[in-house]
Amino acid sequence: MKQRKRILISVDVEEFDIPEEFGQQVPLQEKLEVSRKGLQATLALFDKYNVRATFFITAYWAQHYPELIRQIALRHEIASHAFYHSSFTEADLEGSRLALQEISGQPVQGFRMPRLRKVNIQALNAAGYLYDASINPTWLPGRYNNWHVSRTLFKDNDTWIIPSSVSPVIRYPIFWLSIKNFPLWITKHFSSRILKKDDYLSFYFHPWELTDISDYALPAYIRRTSGERMIRKMEGFLQFLQHQGAFCTHADLLQAHRI
C-alpha cells in the first residue's frame, strides 16, 4: 500500500512584536493577548479539520499561559521558538527547552529561531535538540537567501534539518506571506507540485494573523489580510490539505524516517 503524503502544519506562537520592527511600540500585555486570541481561533480550526500540528512557542509566552500550553500538548507537539522573540542568546536554547518541557509535561525536541535567523547547529545539538526548523530554502528580500540549501529533510552533523516547503525549480515558498498576499489557488497549485515531488509539505504561520491587526502600523502585505479574512483563507487551505495527505507533527516525520 502506498504511503500517504505527510502534511506538517506548524504555528509560531510568540509575543506580537512585529509592529516594533516598523517603529510602533506595543504594550507587553497586548503583545501577549493578540497572540492568545489568534491561538484560540487556530485551535478551533485545527479541531474542525482534525489537524495534528507542531507549535513552536517562546518560553516567555508559555510562562504567561501555562494551562493553554498543557491543553495544546494533549494533542500536538510542543517545540521551542527561543525564550523571547525579540532577543536571543545561546543560553536561551537550553533554557527555553527546559522551561517548555516543565510547563507542557512533554519532551521538547525541535527548535525554530525567531524570524528564521541562522542558529548555531553545534550549540543547538549541545542544548539537547533533535531537529531545527529555522530554514526557508528560498530568497526573501531583506531576510535571507537560502537558494543553496536543500529543499527537503537533511542532516547537519547530528541534527536533523526540516526546511519549510518551497516548490521545485523556482522555489516558490508555501508560508504565511504567500497565503496572505496571493489567491488561494496559487498556494494550492504549488502545494500540489511540492507533494507530487516530495513525501511531505511543511507550512507555517502565526496565530496573530488570525486576529484583526488592521489598526497597527504595518506594511499592507502584513496587515491587509488578517482576522476573519485570514481565518477564511486558512480554512480553505486546510480543507484542501486534508485530502492531500495525513496531518502530522515534525517529530512524527522524523520518527518515520528513523524507523
Side-chain angles (χ1 to χ4, degrees):
M1 183 177 176
K2 186 177 180 181
Q3 175 67 50
R4 290 190 74 193
K5 302 286 186 173
R6 291 181 171 85
I7 309 297
L8 280 63
I9 306 293
S10 56
V11 188
D12 289 359
V13 185
E14 63 209 28
E15 307 87 87
F16 175 61
D17 58 0
I18 194 167
E20 296 177 354
E21 293 187 53
F22 301 94
Q24 181 181 5
Q25 294 301 307
V26 180
L28 172 59
Q29 195 57 39
E30 186 175 334
K31 289 194 286 188
L32 297 168
E33 279 294 302
V34 168
S35 286
R36 184 201 62 78
K37 184 178 178 182
L39 185 55
Q40 296 287 12
T42 298
L43 292 172
L45 279 178
F46 286 0
D47 285 345
K48 184 174 181 178
Y49 293 100
N50 199 28
V51 175
R52 178 167 150 79
T54 301
F55 287 77
F56 292 92
I57 308 173
T58 66
Y60 185 68
W61 194 95
Q63 288 173 337
H64 287 80
Y65 302 100
E67 289 300 325
L68 186 51
I69 300 305
R70 286 189 278 271
Q71 175 190 336
I72 294 169
L74 292 175
R75 180 173 179 178
H76 305 282
E77 178 188 0
I78 303 297
S80 173
H81 199 34
F83 212 101
Y84 306 97
H85 197 254
S86 293
S87 63
F88 175 79
T89 68
E90 286 191 356
D92 292 339
L93 292 171
E94 184 176 30
S96 63
R97 184 179 66 82
L98 295 176
L100 287 165
Q101 284 187 168
E102 182 177 359
I103 293 168
S104 68
Q106 180 187 114
V108 172
Q109 303 178 81
F111 180 81
R112 176 175 287 155
M113 180 70 92
R115 299 181 177 89
L116 272 64
R117 295 189 297 264
K118 290 184 178 180
V119 60
N120 183 324
I121 294 298
Q122 288 74 28
L124 194 70
N125 182 264
Y129 291 93
L130 176 65
Y131 73 85
D132 175 56
S134 303
I135 291 179
N136 194 340
T138 189
W139 174 65
L140 187 66
R143 288 291 193 189
Y144 39 74
N145 185 353
N146 293 323
W147 281 93
H148 63 289
V149 179
S150 171
R151 290 191 313 104
T152 57
L153 178 70
F154 65 97
K155 228 175 180 185
D156 185 345
N157 295 313
D158 292 323
T159 302
W160 289 96
I161 310 297
I162 307 178
S164 300
S165 285
V166 299
S167 68
V169 186
I170 68 171
R171 296 203 171 205
Y172 180 90
I174 304 298
F175 71 136
W176 64 287
L177 284 175
S178 52
I179 284 280
K180 290 173 81 74
N181 290 289
F182 296 97
L184 192 54
W185 70 264
I186 294 179
T187 303
K188 291 178 180 178
H189 168 76
F190 283 108
S191 295
S192 296
R193 293 285 303 274
I194 291 166
L195 287 167
K196 184 177 180 179
K197 179 77 172 177
D198 307 331
D199 64 354
Y200 75 92
L201 181 141
S202 178
F203 163 79
Y204 75 95
F205 69 102
H206 313 86
W208 51 257
E209 299 172 58
L210 276 59
T211 64
D212 183 357
I213 58 172
S214 58
D215 290 336
Y216 290 94
L218 293 166
Y221 67 85
I222 295 173
R223 185 186 69 246
R224 63 186 165 204
T225 302
S226 66
E228 288 298 324
R229 288 185 64 192
M230 187 64 174
I231 289 172
R232 288 195 297 271
K233 293 195 83 171
M234 282 297 303
E235 185 156 15
F237 192 38
L238 293 177
Q239 283 177 331
F240 165 77
L241 290 175
Q242 70 178 349
H243 300 294
Q244 307 305 309
F247 291 114
C248 73
T249 68
H250 285 56
D252 291 337
L253 178 72
L254 289 184
Q255 182 63 31
H257 274 262
R258 296 163 71 200
I259 290 175

